[in-house]
């Protein structure tokens, strides 16, 4: 009975708690009172406002939580009273808090109100564009003490006497029937639009469909996004009973941002302003990252590198996964398997290959640093200070608490001294959930129950800050989990330990689209799936690739070469191209003679497209808008496009339609309205607004290019360490077009100070001419596709 459904109605029955709102001035915000609650409107731009509501005035007045770095900016905002309402307006938005309006309840409501009351005085807040179009409408909120009636009283046992009181907090928004909801982190159920689905927004390795990760940022098709400002476990229920509800397990206020956008990209510009830019990763990160679970020795790594170079195949990064050390937390190298990691890296660097290495944040009691971390109180711990561990089944030790600034700095120094000193270029920050769930444990920043989700933000920041402070290299960090603002730490977020199945591949497409829709642009997955292959798998259809000469790798999984090839084709068109998995071998020549030339074809294609891919990464840095884009972002007027979850745009030009059904050699592709489209493989031109059946033999992923696109193509290279010439430019006519071609040194942060080569390419469709301005570039032959 505590929740919004009664709080809004019953608060009207309680005059003492429904006093008229009163405005008072404070720098950068408007503070209002309503009964025993405080409501704050705090602007950050003409199209961004933060709303805070609390029964505790000091909590309502406090700044935003972890992940938000922007400062309030009230330029152009004005507050006034209109018809008893409080109206706060800018050139872009109007925010209205409804005042007291007489309303006569029916007798049954009065009777119920004697025994069941809402937890807050209630509030009705309307958000509109300056032109009067409704964006969002908050119709109620809650801030309730955990109690037996609501079956959440046990959570009070996870609070120490010295901690702030626990409340459950939430809010309810009107949900029009045609409103759709995207984002909210990485949920692997296979959904894109979350309407009518419950989203459990927290770091959860054991989520039913696959590990989930929380970014509480929701983007709608109604021209706004909501960034929910609460770090505890949060449940979002969009579109039930004509409302969307947010409920956070622990908090002391309701706090959220509303970002208005005339385009979807403007919403992401707002997210960027609030939480930070997505920096350029080292250029090598956009090439090919070769990984498996695991390259056990230095000799094995070198054999793989030599295998790529002997075949003349491009490769930028090899990953060293876990258990290279003698003990968990020892941060050393087993000398019998890794006799000279520094020498290995020196040799790889001469081949143009970088290395990434997995570093876990856990320490077993007999490892060399355990006592130091324990003495300083730097472990995630129980109420009595004892380090949290996973015993009896998990014997991998305890997690270091990098929410503690001293622990974070120490952790970076240990990585720098013990690992980066050996020539490794980037860090795989594995187990950033953290691995030991913090419910009932404690961090430096407070109870793990209250601060359940932001550990990945702190942990990756410890490494990113160290890179920026102590090296001349851009940070590159692979993270299992995400949270608000993590993109500024130079991370790649991947979808964790997924299964090697067709069902998983199918669900990866919307999984990635929802994470990128959450403002986290650099997403990837384990191409081929991480989990071990089953002993046997017999498909419903005859495999499209012969597995007979790959039995030492795929065993009795008859259709695995086909699955891996389809997955590899899809991965070629992800922001980050990385393979991984628990097979014996995982290189392009590991899946049989029929698969090998197809894998090589797409590997080389990735590098042909590098000028395009790296330029789109620069656009992400500039704007915050992702390069991997669900169709609702670019085609807002096409209702059918908003429903499509198995196609996406990669940058402004490519429409990608992965094949995710075993045995399929065709697939239906919807071409969004408002544009003509060219089949990339055949150059056939088709009108948008229709579904077409596309030929998709095993060596072909359906791929289209939007009319009015400019596609720069790179000359063959073995890695991004080589200077890559532009081998030519393809123009897909049908509309005027522009493309910003970008390049820089690929490794340092000098680009942030303007050290880059920027060339604007413009296609005049009427004159049939391509022009360039800015840095002069040799473009090679220009092909106008007919």
């Amino acid at each position: 009975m505590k929740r919004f459904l009664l709080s809004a109605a019953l608060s009207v029955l309680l005059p003492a708690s429904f006093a008229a709102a009163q405005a008072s001035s404070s720098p950068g915000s408007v503070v209002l009172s309503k009964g025993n609650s405080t409501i704050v409107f705090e602007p950050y731009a003409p199209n961004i406002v933060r709303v805070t509501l609390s029964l505790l005035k000091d909590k309502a007045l406090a700044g935003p939580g972890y992940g938000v770095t922007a400062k309030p900016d009230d330029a152009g905002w004005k507050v006034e009273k209109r018809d008893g309402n409080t109206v706060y307006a800018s050139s872009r938005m109007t925010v209205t808090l409804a005042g007291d309006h007489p309303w006569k309840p029916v007798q049954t409501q009065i009777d119920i109100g004697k025994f069941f009351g809402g937890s807050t005085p209630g509030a009705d807040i309307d958000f509109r564009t300056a032109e009067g179009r409704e964006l969002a409408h908050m119709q109620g909120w809650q801030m309730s003490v955990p109690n037996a009636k609501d079956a959440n009283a046990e959570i009070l046992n996870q609070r120490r006497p010295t901690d702030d009181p626990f409340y459950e907090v939430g809010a309810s928004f009107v949900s029009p029937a045609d409103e759709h909801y995207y984002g909210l982190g990485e949920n692997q159920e296979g959904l894109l639009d979350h309407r009518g689905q419950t989203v459990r927004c927290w770091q959860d390795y054991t989520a039913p469909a696959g590990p989930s990760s929380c970014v509480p940022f929701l983007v709608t098709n109604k021209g706004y996004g909501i960034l929910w400002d609460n770090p505890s476990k949060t449940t979002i229920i969009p579109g039930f009973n004509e409302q969307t509800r947010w409920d956070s397990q622990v908090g002391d206020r309701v706090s959220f941002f509303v970002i208005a956008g005339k385009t979807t990209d403007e919403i992401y510009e707002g997210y960027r302003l609030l939480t930070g830019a997505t920096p350029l990763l080292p250029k090598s990160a956009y090439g090919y990252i070769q990984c498996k679970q695991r390259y056990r020795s230095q000799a094995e790594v070198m054999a793989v590198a030599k295998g790529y170079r002997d075949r003349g195949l491009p490769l930028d990064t090899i990953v060293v996964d876990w258990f290279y050390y003698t003990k968990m937390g020892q941060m050393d190298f087993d000398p019998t398997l890794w006799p000279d990691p520094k020498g290995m890296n020196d040799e790889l660097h001469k081949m143009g290959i970088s290395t990434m290495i997995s570093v876990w944040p856990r320490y077993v009691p007999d490892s060399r640093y355990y006592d130091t971390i324990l003495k300083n109180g730097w472990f995630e711990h129980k109420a009595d200070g004892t380090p949290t561990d996973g015993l009896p089944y998990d014997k991998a030790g305890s997690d270091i608490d990098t929410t503690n600034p001293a622990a974070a700095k120490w952790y970076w120094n240990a990585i720098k001294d013990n690992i980066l000193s050996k020539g490794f270029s980037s860090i795989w920050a594995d187990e950033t959930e953290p691995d030991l769930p913090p419910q009932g444990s404690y961090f430096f920043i407070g109870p793990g129950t209250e601060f359940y989700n932001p550990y990945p933000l702190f942990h990756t920041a410890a490494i990113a800050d160290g890179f920026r402070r102590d090296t001349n290299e851009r940070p590159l960090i692979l993270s299992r989990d995400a949270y608000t603002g993590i993109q500024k730490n130079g991370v790649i977020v991947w979808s964790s330990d997924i299964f090697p199945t067709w069902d998983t591949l199918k669900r990866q497409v919307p999984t990635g689209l929802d994470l990128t829709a959450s403002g986290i642009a650099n997403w990837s997955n384990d191409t081929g799936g991480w989990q071990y292959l089953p002993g046997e798998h017999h498909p419903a259809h005859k495999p499209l690739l012969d597995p007979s000469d790959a039995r030492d790798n795929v065993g009795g999984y008859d259709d695995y070469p086909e699955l891996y090839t389809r997955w590899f084709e899809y991965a070629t068109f992800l922001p980050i191209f990385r393979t991984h998995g628990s097979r014996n071998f995982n290189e392009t020549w590991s899946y049989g003679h029929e698969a090998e030339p197809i894998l090589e074809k797409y590997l080389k294609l990735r590098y042909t497209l590098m000028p395009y891919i790296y330029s789109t990464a620069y656009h992400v840095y500039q704007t915050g808008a992702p390069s991997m884009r669900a169709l609702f972002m670019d085609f807002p007027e096409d209702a059918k496009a908003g429903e499509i979850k198995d196609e996406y745009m990669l940058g402004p030009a490519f429409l990608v339609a992965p094949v995710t059904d075993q045995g399929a050699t065709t697939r239906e592709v919807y071409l969004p309205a408002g544009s003509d489209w060219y089949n990339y493989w055949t150059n056939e031109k088709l009108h948008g607004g229709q579904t077409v059946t596309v030929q998709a033999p095993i060596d072909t992923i359906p791929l289209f290019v939007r009319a009015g696109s400019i596609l720069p193509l790179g000359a063959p290279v073995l890695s991004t360490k080589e200077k890559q010439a532009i081998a030519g430019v393809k123009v897909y006519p049908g509309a005027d077009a522009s493309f910003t071609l970008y390049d820089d040194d690929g490794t340092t942060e000098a680009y942030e100070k303007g050290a880059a080569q920027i060339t604007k390419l413009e296609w005049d469709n009427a004159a049939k001419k391509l022009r360039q301005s800015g840095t002069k570039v040799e473009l090679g032959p220009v092909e106008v596709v007919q």
Side-chain angles (χ1 to χ4, degrees), residues 42 44 50 63-71 227-229 255 257 271 273-276 457 483-485 488:
E42 185 177 62
Y44 283 72
R50 176 179 171 233
Y66 298 116
V68 176
T69 56
K71 302 298 182 185
L227 178 60
W228 187 255
D229 179 27
S255 173
F257 295 82
Y271 179 83
L273 184 150
L274 292 174
T275 66
L457 174 68
Y483 187 65
T484 304
K488 65 178 171 286

Side-chain angles (χ1 to χ4, degrees), residues 370-699:
Y370 184 91
D371 290 342
T372 296
I373 300 171
L374 180 65
K375 178 185 69 177
N376 287 291
W378 289 345
F379 280 121
E380 174 191 349
H381 58 273
K382 301 173 185 175
D384 63 0
T386 303
T388 304
D389 61 40
L391 295 173
Y393 307 111
D394 178 336
K395 303 175 179 65
S398 300
D399 277 305
I400 189 169
D401 175 12
T402 42
T403 73
N404 184 319
K409 188 172 182 179
W410 177 91
Y411 184 67
W412 159 255
N413 285 330
I415 291 173
K416 180 184 67 173
D417 295 344
N418 293 295
I419 294 172
L420 295 184
S421 64
K422 305 293 192 297
F424 291 93
S425 306
S426 52
I427 299 299
W428 179 354
D430 208 344
E431 302 304 324
T432 47
E433 296 92 330
D435 194 30
L436 300 170
Q439 193 92 1
S441 292
Y442 299 87
F443 293 128
F444 174 82
I445 57 174
T449 303
E450 182 177 2
F451 297 99
Y452 195 92
N453 284 320
Y455 183 87
L457 174 68
F458 282 92
H459 194 68
T460 57
I463 301 168
D465 292 348
F467 264 106
R468 291 174 176 137
R469 184 175 59 246
D470 296 338
T471 80
N472 193 38
E473 304 294 317
R474 299 174 194 173
L476 175 57
I477 303 161
L478 182 64
S479 174
R480 185 187 301 278
D481 306 280
Y483 187 65
T484 304
I486 197 174
Q487 76 284 342
K488 65 178 171 286
N489 293 338
V491 297
I492 301 165
V493 176
W494 100 100
S495 59
S496 193
D497 296 345
I498 53 177
F499 280 80
T501 65
W502 290 96
D503 170 59
T504 302
L505 171 59
K506 188 183 295 290
R507 287 184 288 104
Q508 285 304 286
V509 183
T511 295
L513 293 176
D514 259 327
L515 190 71
T516 60
S518 307
I520 313 299
N522 291 321
W523 180 82
S524 187
N525 65 181
D526 291 348
T527 299
W530 182 83
Q531 302 286 352
Y532 291 93
L533 301 185
E536 289 188 10
H537 186 270
H538 305 298
H541 308 284
K542 181 181 178 181
L544 298 180
L545 293 174
D546 180 9
S548 61
D549 60 342
R551 290 297 186 188
D552 60 341
N553 198 30
V554 305
Y557 199 146
D558 292 344
D559 51 323
Y560 191 76
E562 178 189 345
L563 172 61
Y564 186 83
T565 298
R566 289 300 196 190
W567 210 317
F568 198 90
E569 292 169 357
Y570 159 59
T572 303
F573 296 94
L574 293 178
I576 305 298
F577 186 14
R578 171 180 163 272
T579 184
H580 190 38
S582 300
R583 279 84 68 188
N584 291 330
F585 312 103
N586 198 37
E587 296 70 48
T588 55
W589 55 89
S590 304
Y591 295 100
H593 70 280
E594 292 185 353
E596 185 174 352
I598 305 172
L599 302 178
E600 290 185 1
K601 166 186 169 179
Y602 283 90
L603 177 56
K604 291 175 180 177
L605 178 58
R606 176 73 177 200
Y607 282 81
T608 298
L609 297 177
M610 186 56 64
Y612 175 83
I613 290 166
Y614 197 54
S615 297
T616 60
Y618 176 67
H619 183 74
V620 172
Y621 163 67
Q622 284 187 304
T623 67
S627 59
M628 182 182 179
R629 305 169 62 81
L631 298 186
F632 80 88
M633 297 181 186
D634 292 306
F635 307 98
E637 304 303 320
D638 186 342
K640 184 171 177 61
E643 301 172 355
I644 301 293
K645 65 179 184 178
D646 61 351
E647 304 173 20
Y648 60 94
M649 296 296 293
L650 183 65
F654 281 114
L655 174 68
V656 186
V659 176
T660 59
D661 291 321
Q662 192 276 317
T665 55
T666 64
R667 74 151 283 178
E668 290 191 341
V669 177
Y670 179 71
L671 303 175
S675 177
D676 288 337
W677 297 89
Y678 292 85
N679 186 315
Y680 177 80
W681 305 108
T682 68
N683 290 339
E684 179 187 9
K685 185 177 180 180
L686 298 164
H687 296 304
Q690 63 171 322
T691 299
V692 296
T693 300
V694 182
Q695 294 301 308
I698 186 60
D699 66 344

